[in-house]
Structure formats: C-alpha cells, structure tokens
Amino acid sequence: MNFIEFSEMLAQQQLKNTSAVDDYKQGILKPDVEDQILGLTNQGLKDITTRIKLYEDRAAINFVDGQNIYDMSGLTDFVKILSIYDEDELSYNVRTNAHITLPSPSSVRFSTKFMEEKTAVDVLFHAHHPEIDLSGDINLPVNLIEALALYVAGLYMSHMGGPEHTQKGDSYYGLYLTMLSTDEQKNTSGASEVVDEDARFADRGFC
C-alpha cells in the first residue's frame, strides 16, 4: 500500500467526518493537511516497527587499533543491536558472550582477545520502517495497516482540540495500543528476517 492509498483509506474511514477531508472530493484528504498526515504516518511507522521487530539490517565494523567500543546510533533506521557475525559468518549472542557486551543500547564493546583474532565484524540490528514521502510505500502486514490508521487518526484528532475530538483521538489511540498488544501476544507479525526481498513481505501478509 502506498501513502496515497493509505490517506484515501483514512479519508473514507477514521477521518471521514473531520475537517481533514476535502469538501468537494469525497474520500480525499485536503491538500493542506497531507504533510501533517504524512508526518504522523512516519511517526506511526517508526513507533510500530520499534515496538514490533519486522525489519532487520546489517552493518560492518572494521576494527581500529586502540578502540574497543563502537557506537551504532548513527545507522539508518537503527533501533537496537541483535547479534554479531564474524568474517566466517559465525554468530555471537551479545547477551551471553563474555567477549562482546553492550555498554549502552546503541553501542557494543569487544574484548582485546576477540579483536586480536578478528579484523572486522557485521552487526545485525533491529531496524524500523524507512521514512516515506508522499509517493512512498508502506510495507506492513495487513493487520498493522489498520493499527497505523488508528495511530494517525488518533493523534490527528487529538491535535484538533476540543473535548469531543480529544475523546475520539484517545479512543483511537487506545485501540491502536490494544491491537499492537494483541499482535505481540499472538506473534501475528513477529516472524522477522532481513527484509531485502519483496517476496518476504508477501509471505507474511504485507500489503
């Protein structure tokens, strides 16, 4: 599903009777709210894929003499470190390996002994959904598209002000949290791998 299709879904459902919808084009958002809805959509994509691990990525670390701590926070779409792979594709669990530790959620420390035996490693990390633009694609499982719509509509209506809008916005956001909790409990969307092939989206019910 692309952003245009998603915005039309919002206009026809959650935001149907709000000032966000064009008075002359039924089921279409007003042009002057598109950027705001896009911003909320990107915010929601980041929130969902931070809470639920749908994306993974890898980045290389080339060891530098005298440096044993490496910061990963600058990686694109980084959430947290998952594991380490050496040049032979051997995997190291960062939670149980004595030679690899995490001094912070975004940094990794290697022992001197480990670095003496290796020249580089790959870091496998949990990533969130890439930011999209007005023509971008939303790659989520179908059930989480509805959750995203509730997130966006909830925040948009809360920003409108007034007790009625605030109440409706809070209701939508509460439903959003319930959907994510249910998804996590049932592991509906959580079978994660590195999503570098379009077929993998289809295999898990992605739009």
Side-chain angles (χ1 to χ4, degrees):
M1 174 177 284
N2 60 41
F3 175 73
I4 299 301
E5 293 168 334
F6 178 69
S7 67
E8 290 174 353
M9 184 183 79
L10 284 171
Q12 294 164 16
Q13 297 180 30
Q14 289 85 0
L15 297 180
K16 182 177 181 180
N17 297 314
T18 70
S19 59
V21 179
D22 196 310
D23 295 330
Y24 303 102
K25 296 179 180 179
Q26 189 175 8
I28 302 294
L29 293 179
K30 290 179 179 177
D32 59 353
V33 304
E34 281 187 339
D35 285 342
Q36 182 182 1
I37 296 299
L38 176 64
L40 293 174
T41 300
N42 276 315
Q43 190 175 321
L45 287 171
K46 185 173 182 178
D47 191 70
I48 289 171
T49 54
T50 296
R51 293 171 183 266
I52 300 176
K53 183 169 66 71
L54 299 175
Y55 285 84
E56 297 173 356
D57 204 349
R58 284 172 73 150
I61 295 177
N62 294 307
F63 290 149
V64 177
D65 288 344
Q67 179 182 349
N68 69 334
I69 297 178
Y70 296 83
D71 181 33
M72 302 286 102
S73 60
L75 294 174
T76 302
D77 304 324
F78 176 85
V79 177
K80 65 180 180 181
I81 296 167
L82 298 174
S83 58
I84 303 296
Y85 289 83
D86 66 14
E87 295 104 318
D88 299 317
E89 283 297 300
L90 292 175
S91 175
Y92 300 84
N93 189 323
V94 294
R95 291 179 294 277
T96 59
N97 192 286
H99 295 286
I100 305 171
T101 55
L102 302 179
S104 75
S106 61
S107 62
V108 57
R109 178 193 287 120
F110 301 94
S111 71
T112 300
K113 184 178 187 305
F114 185 89
M115 295 180 66
E116 286 174 349
E117 298 171 352
K118 316 288 180 186
T119 60
V121 294
D122 273 5
V123 177
L124 178 70
F125 63 93
H126 173 185
H128 57 70
H129 194 292
E131 187 170 303
I132 64 170
D133 56 23
L134 291 171
S135 61
D137 290 326
I138 296 171
N139 291 310
L140 291 178
V142 173
N143 62 302
L144 292 182
I145 292 288
E146 183 179 352
L148 178 63
L150 290 169
Y151 179 97
V152 173
L155 265 63
Y156 179 82
M157 297 193 76
S158 295
H159 292 166
M160 290 176 68
E164 184 177 345
H165 292 142
T166 299
Q167 183 179 11
K168 191 68 172 177
D170 288 348
S171 175
Y172 278 152
Y173 190 72
L175 288 172
Y176 162 75
L177 293 177
T178 299
M179 285 194 71
L180 289 197
S181 177
T182 300
D183 186 277
E184 288 180 284
Q185 289 172 9
K186 295 182 177 180
N187 197 30
T188 308
S189 310
S192 178
E193 63 275 312
V194 180
V195 283
D196 57 1
E197 297 178 16
D198 291 343
R200 294 181 181 180
F201 288 117
D203 289 344
R204 292 215 310 275
F206 281 77
C207 292

mmCIF file of all heavy atoms in Angstrom, residues 178-202:
data_model
loop_
_atom_site.group_PDB
_atom_site.id
_atom_site.type_symbol
_atom_site.label_atom_id
_atom_site.label_comp_id
_atom_site.label_asym_id
_atom_site.label_seq_id
_atom_site.Cartn_x
_atom_site.Cartn_y
_atom_site.Cartn_z
ATOM 1 N N THR A 178 -4.076 -1.540 21.914
ATOM 2 C CA THR A 178 -4.661 -2.865 22.095
ATOM 3 C C THR A 178 -4.311 -3.774 20.919
ATOM 4 O O THR A 178 -3.968 -4.948 21.101
ATOM 5 C CB THR A 178 -6.191 -2.768 22.229
ATOM 6 O OG1 THR A 178 -6.511 -1.986 23.381
ATOM 7 C CG2 THR A 178 -6.824 -4.146 22.364
ATOM 8 N N MET A 179 -4.382 -3.241 19.693
ATOM 9 C CA MET A 179 -4.046 -4.037 18.511
ATOM 10 C C MET A 179 -2.592 -4.479 18.540
ATOM 11 O O MET A 179 -2.273 -5.631 18.219
ATOM 12 C CB MET A 179 -4.324 -3.241 17.232
ATOM 13 C CG MET A 179 -5.781 -3.115 16.872
ATOM 14 S SD MET A 179 -6.020 -2.520 15.181
ATOM 15 C CE MET A 179 -5.494 -3.951 14.245
ATOM 16 N N LEU A 180 -1.684 -3.578 18.938
ATOM 17 C CA LEU A 180 -0.271 -3.945 18.996
ATOM 18 C C LEU A 180 -0.028 -4.994 20.071
ATOM 19 O O LEU A 180 0.749 -5.939 19.870
ATOM 20 C CB LEU A 180 0.596 -2.712 19.265
ATOM 21 C CG LEU A 180 0.744 -1.694 18.146
ATOM 22 C CD1 LEU A 180 1.938 -0.782 18.433
ATOM 23 C CD2 LEU A 180 0.940 -2.347 16.795
ATOM 24 N N SER A 181 -0.685 -4.835 21.219
ATOM 25 C CA SER A 181 -0.524 -5.804 22.298
ATOM 26 C C SER A 181 -1.009 -7.182 21.861
ATOM 27 O O SER A 181 -0.340 -8.195 22.107
ATOM 28 C CB SER A 181 -1.305 -5.330 23.525
ATOM 29 O OG SER A 181 -1.224 -6.280 24.563
ATOM 30 N N THR A 182 -2.152 -7.220 21.196
ATOM 31 C CA THR A 182 -2.693 -8.489 20.705
ATOM 32 C C THR A 182 -1.768 -9.114 19.673
ATOM 33 O O THR A 182 -1.517 -10.321 19.668
ATOM 34 C CB THR A 182 -4.086 -8.279 20.088
ATOM 35 O OG1 THR A 182 -4.956 -7.741 21.086
ATOM 36 C CG2 THR A 182 -4.663 -9.589 19.569
ATOM 37 N N ASP A 183 -1.233 -8.273 18.786
ATOM 38 C CA ASP A 183 -0.319 -8.754 17.751
ATOM 39 C C ASP A 183 0.928 -9.375 18.377
ATOM 40 O O ASP A 183 1.387 -10.450 17.956
ATOM 41 C CB ASP A 183 0.076 -7.602 16.832
ATOM 42 C CG ASP A 183 0.909 -8.072 15.656
ATOM 43 O OD1 ASP A 183 2.131 -8.232 15.817
ATOM 44 O OD2 ASP A 183 0.332 -8.287 14.582
ATOM 45 N N GLU A 184 1.478 -8.708 19.397
ATOM 46 C CA GLU A 184 2.679 -9.216 20.051
ATOM 47 C C GLU A 184 2.393 -10.520 20.793
ATOM 48 O O GLU A 184 3.202 -11.455 20.759
ATOM 49 C CB GLU A 184 3.226 -8.162 21.014
ATOM 50 C CG GLU A 184 3.861 -6.967 20.312
ATOM 51 C CD GLU A 184 4.397 -5.944 21.293
ATOM 52 O OE1 GLU A 184 3.595 -5.202 21.873
ATOM 53 O OE2 GLU A 184 5.637 -5.897 21.470
ATOM 54 N N GLN A 185 1.246 -10.604 21.479
ATOM 55 C CA GLN A 185 0.898 -11.807 22.231
ATOM 56 C C GLN A 185 0.722 -13.013 21.309
ATOM 57 O O GLN A 185 1.153 -14.125 21.628
ATOM 58 C CB GLN A 185 -0.380 -11.571 23.034
ATOM 59 C CG GLN A 185 -0.205 -10.618 24.208
ATOM 60 C CD GLN A 185 -1.523 -10.248 24.857
ATOM 61 O OE1 GLN A 185 -2.566 -10.818 24.560
ATOM 62 N NE2 GLN A 185 -1.493 -9.281 25.748
ATOM 63 N N LYS A 186 0.096 -12.777 20.160
ATOM 64 C CA LYS A 186 -0.150 -13.866 19.219
ATOM 65 C C LYS A 186 0.986 -14.037 18.213
ATOM 66 O O LYS A 186 0.968 -14.963 17.400
ATOM 67 C CB LYS A 186 -1.460 -13.611 18.466
ATOM 68 C CG LYS A 186 -2.695 -13.641 19.365
ATOM 69 C CD LYS A 186 -3.968 -13.439 18.551
ATOM 70 C CE LYS A 186 -5.202 -13.536 19.429
ATOM 71 N NZ LYS A 186 -6.460 -13.341 18.645
ATOM 72 N N ASN A 187 1.957 -13.113 18.250
ATOM 73 C CA ASN A 187 3.081 -13.127 17.311
ATOM 74 C C ASN A 187 2.600 -13.150 15.863
ATOM 75 O O ASN A 187 3.155 -13.838 15.007
ATOM 76 C CB ASN A 187 3.999 -14.327 17.584
ATOM 77 C CG ASN A 187 5.356 -14.150 16.938
ATOM 78 O OD1 ASN A 187 5.839 -13.029 16.766
ATOM 79 N ND2 ASN A 187 5.988 -15.247 16.566
ATOM 80 N N THR A 188 1.550 -12.381 15.602
ATOM 81 C CA THR A 188 0.961 -12.360 14.263
ATOM 82 C C THR A 188 1.946 -11.849 13.219
ATOM 83 O O THR A 188 1.994 -12.336 12.099
ATOM 84 C CB THR A 188 -0.299 -11.467 14.248
ATOM 85 O OG1 THR A 188 -1.164 -11.891 15.297
ATOM 86 C CG2 THR A 188 -1.024 -11.572 12.921
ATOM 87 N N SER A 189 2.737 -10.852 13.578
ATOM 88 C CA SER A 189 3.630 -10.213 12.611
ATOM 89 C C SER A 189 5.097 -10.363 12.962
ATOM 90 O O SER A 189 5.946 -9.829 12.269
ATOM 91 C CB SER A 189 3.319 -8.711 12.520
ATOM 92 O OG SER A 189 1.958 -8.482 12.324
ATOM 93 N N GLY A 190 5.416 -11.108 14.001
ATOM 94 C CA GLY A 190 6.749 -11.037 14.557
ATOM 95 C C GLY A 190 7.794 -11.964 13.995
ATOM 96 O O GLY A 190 8.914 -11.962 14.476
ATOM 97 N N ALA A 191 7.466 -12.797 13.001
ATOM 98 C CA ALA A 191 8.477 -13.688 12.416
ATOM 99 C C ALA A 191 9.389 -12.876 11.526
ATOM 100 O O ALA A 191 9.163 -12.711 10.346
ATOM 101 C CB ALA A 191 7.828 -14.811 11.617
ATOM 102 N N SER A 192 10.471 -12.329 12.112
ATOM 103 C CA SER A 192 11.273 -11.329 11.409
ATOM 104 C C SER A 192 12.502 -11.932 10.753
ATOM 105 O O SER A 192 13.108 -12.857 11.246
ATOM 106 C CB SER A 192 11.709 -10.251 12.397
ATOM 107 O OG SER A 192 12.514 -9.289 11.770
ATOM 108 N N GLU A 193 12.866 -11.371 9.627
ATOM 109 C CA GLU A 193 14.132 -11.661 8.986
ATOM 110 C C GLU A 193 14.585 -10.404 8.277
ATOM 111 O O GLU A 193 13.916 -9.408 8.302
ATOM 112 C CB GLU A 193 14.011 -12.811 7.978
ATOM 113 C CG GLU A 193 13.098 -12.531 6.804
ATOM 114 C CD GLU A 193 11.646 -12.830 7.097
ATOM 115 O OE1 GLU A 193 11.335 -13.890 7.607
ATOM 116 O OE2 GLU A 193 10.821 -11.942 6.807
ATOM 117 N N VAL A 194 15.774 -10.429 7.677
ATOM 118 C CA VAL A 194 16.218 -9.268 6.926
ATOM 119 C C VAL A 194 15.314 -9.106 5.721
ATOM 120 O O VAL A 194 15.235 -9.982 4.872
ATOM 121 C CB VAL A 194 17.685 -9.432 6.469
ATOM 122 C CG1 VAL A 194 18.128 -8.215 5.683
ATOM 123 C CG2 VAL A 194 18.590 -9.646 7.672
ATOM 124 N N VAL A 195 14.615 -7.986 5.651
ATOM 125 C CA VAL A 195 13.597 -7.824 4.609
ATOM 126 C C VAL A 195 14.216 -7.167 3.379
ATOM 127 O O VAL A 195 14.064 -5.991 3.128
ATOM 128 C CB VAL A 195 12.387 -7.011 5.118
ATOM 129 C CG1 VAL A 195 11.507 -7.867 6.001
ATOM 130 C CG2 VAL A 195 12.829 -5.779 5.895
ATOM 131 N N ASP A 196 14.935 -7.976 2.600
ATOM 132 C CA ASP A 196 15.593 -7.439 1.417
ATOM 133 C C ASP A 196 15.022 -8.021 0.134
ATOM 134 O O ASP A 196 15.573 -7.809 -0.932
ATOM 135 C CB ASP A 196 17.110 -7.682 1.484
ATOM 136 C CG ASP A 196 17.432 -9.163 1.650
ATOM 137 O OD1 ASP A 196 16.506 -9.984 1.695
ATOM 138 O OD2 ASP A 196 18.630 -9.468 1.734
ATOM 139 N N GLU A 197 13.927 -8.768 0.240
ATOM 140 C CA GLU A 197 13.283 -9.309 -0.950
ATOM 141 C C GLU A 197 11.789 -9.058 -0.850
ATOM 142 O O GLU A 197 11.168 -9.294 0.173
ATOM 143 C CB GLU A 197 13.534 -10.816 -1.069
ATOM 144 C CG GLU A 197 15.009 -11.180 -1.231
ATOM 145 C CD GLU A 197 15.186 -12.691 -1.304
ATOM 146 O OE1 GLU A 197 14.190 -13.393 -1.530
ATOM 147 O OE2 GLU A 197 16.314 -13.145 -1.142
ATOM 148 N N ASP A 198 11.184 -8.564 -1.930
ATOM 149 C CA ASP A 198 9.758 -8.254 -1.922
ATOM 150 C C ASP A 198 8.920 -9.473 -1.551
ATOM 151 O O ASP A 198 7.878 -9.354 -0.921
ATOM 152 C CB ASP A 198 9.320 -7.730 -3.297
ATOM 153 C CG ASP A 198 9.898 -6.358 -3.591
ATOM 154 O OD1 ASP A 198 10.343 -5.703 -2.630
ATOM 155 O OD2 ASP A 198 9.916 -5.963 -4.763
ATOM 156 N N ALA A 199 9.358 -10.670 -1.935
ATOM 157 C CA ALA A 199 8.580 -11.882 -1.670
ATOM 158 C C ALA A 199 8.403 -12.122 -0.182
ATOM 159 O O ALA A 199 7.407 -12.697 0.248
ATOM 160 C CB ALA A 199 9.266 -13.093 -2.312
ATOM 161 N N ARG A 200 9.332 -11.654 0.610
ATOM 162 C CA ARG A 200 9.244 -11.894 2.043
ATOM 163 C C ARG A 200 8.085 -11.106 2.649
ATOM 164 O O ARG A 200 7.485 -11.514 3.627
ATOM 165 C CB ARG A 200 10.558 -11.534 2.727
ATOM 166 C CG ARG A 200 11.696 -12.448 2.292
ATOM 167 C CD ARG A 200 12.987 -12.113 2.982
ATOM 168 N NE ARG A 200 14.054 -12.991 2.528
ATOM 169 C CZ ARG A 200 15.297 -12.921 2.956
ATOM 170 N NH1 ARG A 200 15.645 -12.031 3.837
ATOM 171 N NH2 ARG A 200 16.214 -13.762 2.491
ATOM 172 N N PHE A 201 7.787 -9.947 2.080
ATOM 173 C CA PHE A 201 6.617 -9.192 2.538
ATOM 174 C C PHE A 201 5.354 -10.002 2.253
ATOM 175 O O PHE A 201 4.507 -10.156 3.100
ATOM 176 C CB PHE A 201 6.517 -7.839 1.810
ATOM 177 C CG PHE A 201 7.564 -6.854 2.257
ATOM 178 C CD1 PHE A 201 8.510 -6.389 1.364
ATOM 179 C CD2 PHE A 201 7.567 -6.388 3.555
ATOM 180 C CE1 PHE A 201 9.464 -5.457 1.775
ATOM 181 C CE2 PHE A 201 8.514 -5.461 3.962
ATOM 182 C CZ PHE A 201 9.469 -5.002 3.072
ATOM 183 N N ALA A 202 5.252 -10.539 1.058
ATOM 184 C CA ALA A 202 4.055 -11.293 0.667
ATOM 185 C C ALA A 202 3.888 -12.537 1.526
ATOM 186 O O ALA A 202 2.787 -12.903 1.913
ATOM 187 C CB ALA A 202 4.138 -11.674 -0.818
#
